[in-house]
Amino acid sequence: MHLVRWGLTTGWLLIILSLLYDPFTPQFTEPDHPWSPLRLPQGCVPVQGACLTEAPYPLGTTEFWGVVVPSAIFVLLVFGHELWRRICPLAFLSQIPRALGLQRQIAKVNPKTGEKRLQLAKVPADSWLGQHYSRLQFGWLFVGLCGRILFFNADRLVLFGWLTFTILCAIAVGWLYGGKSWCQYFCPMAPVQSIFSTPTGLLGSKAHMASSPITQSMCRSVQPDGSEQSACVACQQPCIDIDAERTYWARLPTPAFAFERYGYVGLVVGYFLYYYLYAGNWEYYFSGIWLRQSDQLAQLLRPGFYLFGQAINIPRLAAVPLFLGLCTWLGLLAGRAIESALRTRVRRRGGEPDRNRIRHQVFVVATFLVFNFFFLFAGRPLLLLAPDWVQYLFDVTLVAVSTLWLYRAWNRSPDLYGRENLAERFRKQLTRLDLDVGLYLDGRSLADLGTEEVYVLAKVLPGFTGQKRHEAYKGVVREALEEGFVNAASSLEVLKQMRLSLGITDGEHRKLLEELGVEDPGLLDPDSRRSLEDQIRLSGYRKSLERLMLVQRLGEGPGPQDGAALQALRREYGISSREEEQVLDDLSPAAAAIHKVELLLERLPALTDGYRALHQSALRHQSAVLALLDDRLQLRKELTLRAILDGLATLQEDPAVPGLVQRLQAIAPLELPELLRQEGWERRLPAAVAGTLSHPGGEAPSCSLEVPVDETLSFLASLAADPSPKLAAAALFLTACLDGGRARSLAAELGVTGAPPLLRQTARAVEALQGPPELRGFPELEKRVFLATSDFFRRSDADTLDALATQADVRTFAKGELITETGDTCRELLLLIEGRARVLHRDGERTWEEDLQPGRVLDELQVLTHSASESTIVAEADGTRLLAVPVDSFDAVLERDPDFARRVLELESGQLQRLMRASAVSPVP
């Protein structure tokens, strides 16, 4: 490709130089040339009622407008953006400063450490150029087409000046900004590339399903061994050079993208139509005489229109931009009107229009039409000189390829792109698990499977157990979060189809996010900007650093941290101190494990601080809600401890281990021994480490639970942003208990359209509060709180709790009122949530009594066996309240959630044993 670029660039520059001096080609246009098809005809070409005189001319302008430009459009539609960007001479020339090492650098200061680093300058995403570059590019394209008609269609010196100016601008931008900033932010051809090559070229590749990490036209360098390496510096996000279709779907809903597409259609139609309106006939254009008008500049003040044999006295200098501007505006209006009409049609049929799908289909039809319209004119003056069969073959080829492109692009959608993207990620995870899939593929490989086939295979693989399924799905989620394909808020919906295919519940997904948040807090940080481009940039830096370290090690030179070559790499890839730590951790598993354990140890005390912040004296009456949040903090602490132990297991006998173990014992002296016993960490950890941690070390931390209210409110605000709707709603409720005004402000932020239903309901209730809140005033939250904090349902899947809460009712009883009676058929599972109840058990001739406190489930054994109650239950206090779950709903949850069914069986086995012991020890005759 490097040689191809050199060849095409050389040819392009020769054409440009020929505009200055060309003594050779005019002979082919002599009227008496014996065989040249380009010889001048003898007839008259009328323009505004007068014949133009012609003289032999050089072919530079004819080649440029008649061959080079149409060829570029054809390449874009057929081969895609990826080929054009790799062969474009202007893109190649814009990289001259990079090849010479002369790019501009700016100083970046780390606000925490004050360290100053030089980095390649890039266009800031929040700058005017970063936000409005498409307008600049389209404006330059508009000026270029006006300039063609007015100044340099045929005037070779002006065309030479325009092209030279453009080349110099490209080189200057290559010095000012890193990467392909010329192509991404300035090039007037960029809108044309986007229109004809996205969502995909006819023969273009699918970057999101590529096996190679270097996709499409992304920046790359060739190493001495011939291998390619990414040279991406993330100059634009999302980047069309990495994944054109991803960029297309990201920009599809934006007004700028619609203007670009529809405005271009109007601009192209207006450009070719103007030739007729100017000359008064089509012969002016199709004869190609406009390519050889030596007096083009002399026409600037002549009448700009000639209609019905009458010149309209608007100077051509003003007529051209006015007419092309009008056509651009009409194209935009027409596109929007068609979109609106299609949406209205869907609504009349009773449906809800998919705005993105409608816009996409209008886009692809518009591209199909403008492509064929363009080639009715572009290159046609030369084509008309060829035999009829060549013209016919040319037209058939254009219609065929554009129709195939339309067929391929029509059914593309963001959902299909997302499914393919996730399936490819899942395929990679299956490969990493080393499963034996050969028996099920009949000679095919995993790479040969379609999107749905991958999930079908996962369901039938005998070795793909629940643990492996969880591991594979976790890998997909981690990768999607790292590349910015999803965030914590959107992952639930984006990955929904994949979860359905793999049998993973929403609750399992939330637990998995919890685990990932412990392992890498930055993954779930909503303010952390992650992107595929940054991942590729870091990958390129990592590989370059590996190669540099290898070279220096073989040459016994200085360490990479002291070398100028390392500083050059940092500048080229724009590496910050934090990113450098991350890359160095990746290069050394031991260093990565130490860094991870140290971060987790730093975060452990914050969980204790969170516990203290929750236990305000003003919140003591909300014990059930506090118990829910306490349990979640305890779960996070357990996950953190497991992640720390996993890091210690990776380090084994590393010299840093004793110090880390000492810090761990000082922070969590009481939880470790039980955790080690329960989960078999003794087998994974070194014997000395396991022995040390299995005994409490240090003293149990003690501190006052009284903390400032503002600290509690800040902690609750952080919990209100949690991905779990139940946790966020509980935090919002407790905020209302402490500060009604702050709670209403927070509710306005959280209760937006698209928020989970529970969070929206809680937010509306908080906004409507007139006094201190009571949990019973939030019925949906109350049901979930008591279900989640009962021993029977504690830490159950969130979907399980939601399903039970949706069907459950809250009932109130007075003191002495009968709740159930011996012999009643158990049609509901009853959970005591407030007050007291007394149970009179009967077993044959023996009876005994038991007092029940809130959180206990009543008659659960009879509910499980669908038998009649053997006990009488009476309310022992006024206002005793129970949560009643229909037995049919409970059975449905047991069938759907095997983990919950297993937990219920374990709990009931223990309960049955306790009842048997109680009846044996304390019988009452």
Side-chain angles (χ1 to χ4, degrees):
M1 291 303 299
H2 194 65
L3 293 176
V4 170
R5 283 194 294 271
W6 268 111
L8 290 175
T9 303
T10 301
W12 191 57
L13 292 175
L14 286 175
I15 293 176
I16 294 174
L17 290 174
S18 74
L19 299 174
L20 290 179
Y21 178 72
D22 180 7
F24 308 106
T25 59
Q27 61 180 315
F28 297 102
T29 65
E30 295 283 352
D32 56 352
H33 194 282
W35 52 265
S36 173
L38 298 173
R39 59 184 179 271
L40 291 173
Q42 300 295 331
C44 167
V45 178
V47 175
Q48 296 191 358
C51 288
L52 293 183
T53 58
E54 297 189 75
Y57 61 96
L59 295 178
T61 56
T62 302
E63 289 175 336
F64 193 81
W65 301 124
V67 178
V68 175
V69 172
S71 298
I73 302 299
F74 184 84
V75 167
L76 286 169
L77 188 93
V78 177
F79 298 101
H81 166 274
E82 56 194 281
L83 176 62
W84 173 251
R85 276 282 177 93
R86 295 192 69 187
I87 65 174
C88 174
L90 203 54
F92 185 49
L93 293 171
S94 72
Q95 296 300 303
I96 288 177
R98 175 179 174 271
L100 298 176
L102 299 177
Q103 291 177 288
R104 183 171 66 103
Q105 299 170 6
I106 58 175
K108 291 283 187 178
V109 180
N110 188 323
K112 293 182 178 179
T113 64
E115 179 190 8
K116 183 181 293 186
R117 288 193 175 193
L118 290 176
Q119 296 181 4
L120 283 183
K122 292 189 288 188
V123 176
D126 57 353
S127 64
W128 182 92
L129 180 58
Q131 295 178 348
H132 303 286
Y133 64 91
S134 64
R135 298 181 183 180
L136 175 66
Q137 291 171 328
F138 194 91
W140 199 341
L141 174 66
F142 180 87
V143 169
L145 289 181
C146 291
R148 280 191 60 179
I149 296 175
L150 293 172
F151 303 109
F152 48 79
N153 254 339
D155 193 304
R156 293 187 297 280
L157 289 178
V158 178
L159 179 58
F160 174 84
W162 174 260
L163 295 177
T164 302
F165 170 74
T166 304
I167 291 171
L168 293 176
C169 286
I171 296 173
V173 170
W175 174 79
L176 284 169
Y177 301 109
K180 289 185 180 177
S181 294
W182 163 257
C183 304
Q184 307 284 24
Y185 294 101
F186 295 91
C187 180
M189 189 69 176
V192 184
Q193 296 171 35
S194 175
I195 290 163
F196 288 113
S197 64
T198 59
T200 178
L202 177 61
L203 301 178
S205 64
K206 293 182 178 180
H208 59 289
M209 299 181 70
S211 57
S212 169
I214 301 178
T215 58
Q216 295 190 344
S217 53
M218 64 181 288
C219 298
R220 67 196 75 195
S221 59
V222 180
Q223 301 307 311
D225 60 0
S227 63
E228 289 186 330
Q229 178 180 306
S230 167
C232 175
V233 298
C235 60
Q236 189 180 70
Q237 300 177 13
C239 177
I240 192 173
D241 287 308
I242 294 174
D243 188 345
E245 186 170 359
R246 172 170 165 264
T247 306
Y248 174 82
W249 298 123
R251 294 190 63 200
L252 181 69
T254 63
F257 205 38
F259 174 83
E260 192 175 280
R261 291 264 172 163
Y262 300 142
Y264 178 78
V265 173
L267 182 60
V268 169
V269 172
Y271 174 81
F272 290 114
L273 182 59
Y274 180 77
Y275 287 93
Y276 176 85
L277 297 179
Y278 168 69
N281 60 78
W282 281 117
E283 188 178 356
Y284 171 68
Y285 178 83
F286 288 112
S287 67
I289 197 171
W290 52 275
L291 287 167
R292 45 188 186 264
Q293 276 187 284
S294 58
D295 61 343
Q296 184 175 2
L297 297 181
Q299 313 297 318
L300 293 179
L301 299 180
R302 291 191 57 182
F305 296 104
Y306 186 79
L307 299 174
F308 308 109
Q310 182 68 40
I312 298 177
N313 200 20
I314 299 176
R316 196 180 187 205
L317 186 63
V320 170
L322 287 175
F323 182 71
L324 294 191
L326 174 65
C327 290
T328 301
W329 180 65
L330 291 176
L332 178 62
L333 290 183
R336 289 176 174 173
I338 293 171
E339 280 189 33
S340 178
L342 291 175
R343 291 196 298 268
T344 302
R345 181 183 178 188
V346 173
R347 290 192 185 98
R348 286 175 179 170
R349 294 179 176 179
E352 184 60 31
D354 184 339
R355 299 177 68 93
N356 285 343
R357 180 158 186 81
I358 288 173
R359 173 168 286 185
H360 164 65
Q361 292 180 342
V362 175
F363 274 10
V364 296
V365 171
T367 301
F368 170 80
L369 294 176
V370 77
F371 177 83
N372 286 282
F373 181 83
F374 177 84
F375 277 103
L376 281 177
F377 298 91
R380 192 64 55 169
L382 290 178
L383 186 64
L384 292 175
L385 301 176
D388 290 344
W389 67 269
V390 173
Q391 299 179 40
Y392 178 77
L393 180 62
F394 181 80
D395 292 338
V396 169
T397 301
L398 291 176
V399 173
V401 297
S402 60
T403 302
L404 290 172
W405 178 89
L406 176 65
Y407 174 79
R408 186 182 185 196
W410 179 263
N411 291 317
R412 300 299 298 172
S413 69
D415 291 338
L416 178 57
Y417 171 83
R419 289 198 302 272
E420 291 176 347
N421 192 314
L422 292 173
E424 183 58 32
R425 296 174 191 272
F426 184 62
R427 196 193 321 268
K428 293 176 183 177
Q429 297 300 323
L430 288 178
T431 303
R432 291 169 185 166
L433 289 175
D434 239 1
L435 296 170
D436 183 13
V437 299
L439 295 175
Y440 302 89
L441 299 185
D442 194 24
R444 300 163 72 193
S445 67
L446 274 174
D448 299 326
L449 298 183
T451 300
E452 302 302 328
E453 289 177 307
V454 174
Y455 299 125
V456 173
L457 173 67
K459 292 179 180 179
V460 302
L461 279 175
F464 196 55
T465 60
Q467 178 61 32
K468 288 189 179 293
R469 183 179 294 109
H470 179 272
E471 185 180 339
Y473 182 71
K474 184 177 180 180
V476 171
V477 176
R478 179 188 288 109
E479 192 175 282
L481 288 168
E482 287 175 343
E483 296 181 1
F485 182 72
V486 298
N487 55 36
S490 67
S491 61
L492 190 67
E493 182 61 30
V494 174
L495 299 169
K496 180 178 180 180
Q497 189 62 42
M498 185 178 185
R499 286 198 306 281
L500 291 175
S501 299
L502 296 179
I504 292 174
T505 66
D506 291 358
E508 289 175 315
H509 173 82
R510 293 190 182 99
K511 288 180 181 178
L512 185 145
L513 284 180
E514 192 94 40
E515 294 176 16
L516 290 173
V518 167
E519 295 171 7
D520 185 356
L523 279 179
L524 306 186
D525 184 0
D527 298 324
S528 176
R529 183 183 178 189
R530 291 179 175 270
S531 68
L532 173 61
E533 289 73 19
D534 279 330
Q535 291 299 310
I536 292 173
R537 175 175 61 87
L538 292 177
S539 174
Y541 174 71
R542 184 185 305 112
K543 292 183 178 179
S544 297
L545 184 59
E546 287 176 342
R547 182 171 288 104
L548 177 62
M549 294 172 71
L550 177 61
V551 169
Q552 292 181 337
R553 187 163 56 246
L554 293 176
E556 299 183 356
Q561 66 275 11
D562 300 323
L566 177 60
Q567 295 180 12
L569 279 182
R570 289 171 179 166
R571 289 195 299 269
E572 181 180 356
Y573 288 96
I575 301 299
S576 65
S577 300
R578 182 176 176 276
E579 289 172 337
E580 186 170 25
E581 287 180 2
Q582 178 184 339
V583 170
L584 291 176
D585 284 348
D586 291 342
L587 293 177
S588 170
I594 293 172
H595 186 61
K596 175 183 174 182
V597 171
E598 288 177 341
L599 286 177
L600 293 172
L601 287 172
E602 290 174 4
R603 287 169 43 213
L604 262 179
L607 296 174
T608 302
D609 294 340
Y611 177 85
R612 292 176 55 228
L614 286 177
H615 286 267
Q616 280 282 341
S617 56
L619 297 177
R620 286 173 185 165
H621 63 290
Q622 301 295 347
S623 57
V625 183
L626 288 175
L628 171 68
L629 298 184
D630 284 346
D631 185 63
R632 180 52 62 96
L633 291 179
Q634 181 61 30
L635 174 61
R636 290 182 177 174
K637 193 168 187 178
E638 292 173 7
L639 291 172
T640 303
L641 290 173
R642 290 190 186 100
I644 291 173
L645 293 175
D646 185 66
L648 294 176
T650 301
L651 291 170
Q652 290 295 315
E653 306 294 341
D654 191 279
V657 168
L660 297 173
V661 169
Q662 186 177 2
R663 289 177 59 189
L664 177 59
Q665 279 193 305
I667 297 172
L670 301 180
E671 294 92 341
L672 286 167
E674 185 176 357
L675 187 63
L676 288 169
R677 286 193 299 271
Q678 288 178 347
E679 303 187 5
W681 284 100
E682 294 93 338
R683 295 189 299 273
R684 295 183 56 194
L685 293 168
V689 173
T692 302
L693 294 178
S694 60
H695 299 89
E699 298 181 0
S702 61
C703 55
S704 171
L705 290 178
E706 291 299 326
V707 296
V709 174
D710 284 343
E711 185 176 329
T712 301
L713 289 170
S714 297
F715 182 69
L716 289 173
S718 68
L719 291 181
D722 195 272
S724 167
K726 182 167 71 268
L727 194 64
L732 179 58
F733 170 78
L734 291 181
T735 303
C737 294
L738 295 175
D739 188 330
R742 186 176 296 193
R744 282 187 287 273
S745 300
L746 187 58
E749 297 175 12
L750 298 175
V752 296
T753 303
L758 175 63
L759 189 55
R760 286 203 310 273
Q761 292 168 7
T762 306
R764 285 198 294 268
V766 167
E767 290 177 322
L769 282 174
Q770 299 298 323
E774 294 186 6
L775 187 56
R776 66 177 60 193
F778 298 75
E780 292 303 317
L781 175 62
E782 181 187 38
K783 289 189 286 186
R784 286 162 175 81
V785 164
F786 282 108
L787 283 170
T789 53
S790 69
D791 289 339
F792 200 78
F793 297 104
R794 181 173 175 266
R795 293 194 180 176
S796 294
D797 183 89
D799 293 335
T800 296
L801 295 181
D802 286 339
L804 294 172
T806 302
Q807 300 298 324
D809 292 322
V810 177
R811 296 175 187 167
T812 305
F813 297 87
K815 181 177 181 180
E817 190 173 351
L818 194 66
I819 297 174
T820 66
E821 190 174 8
T822 302
D824 289 348
T825 301
C826 291
R827 297 187 176 89
E828 295 170 323
L829 185 73
L830 301 176
L831 172 65
L832 183 62
I833 62 175
E834 189 176 348
R836 298 194 313 276
R838 174 164 292 184
V839 183
L840 178 63
H841 295 287
R842 182 178 299 277
D843 182 10
E845 297 299 323
R846 296 179 298 172
T847 63
W848 71 97
E849 294 182 351
E850 182 183 7
D851 287 332
L852 299 181
Q853 300 299 322
R856 283 291 305 275
V857 174
L858 316 181
D859 278 347
E860 63 268 32
L861 287 175
Q862 285 73 30
V863 170
L864 289 170
T865 58
H866 293 198
S867 59
S869 175
E870 297 180 358
S871 307
T872 298
I873 305 176
V874 180
E876 285 291 298
D878 286 331
T880 296
R881 302 170 69 232
L882 295 102
L883 190 65
V885 180
V887 66
D888 291 341
S889 301
F890 185 73
D891 289 342
V893 168
L894 286 176
E895 292 179 5
R896 190 186 67 188
D897 189 345
D899 291 335
F900 177 65
R902 184 170 56 252
R903 290 184 64 254
V904 168
L905 183 60
E906 292 172 356
L907 286 170
E908 289 315 300
S909 297
Q911 176 69 359
L912 183 58
Q913 291 173 0
R914 286 192 297 272
L915 287 175
M916 292 176 66
R917 286 194 297 269
S919 63
V921 173
S922 305
V924 178

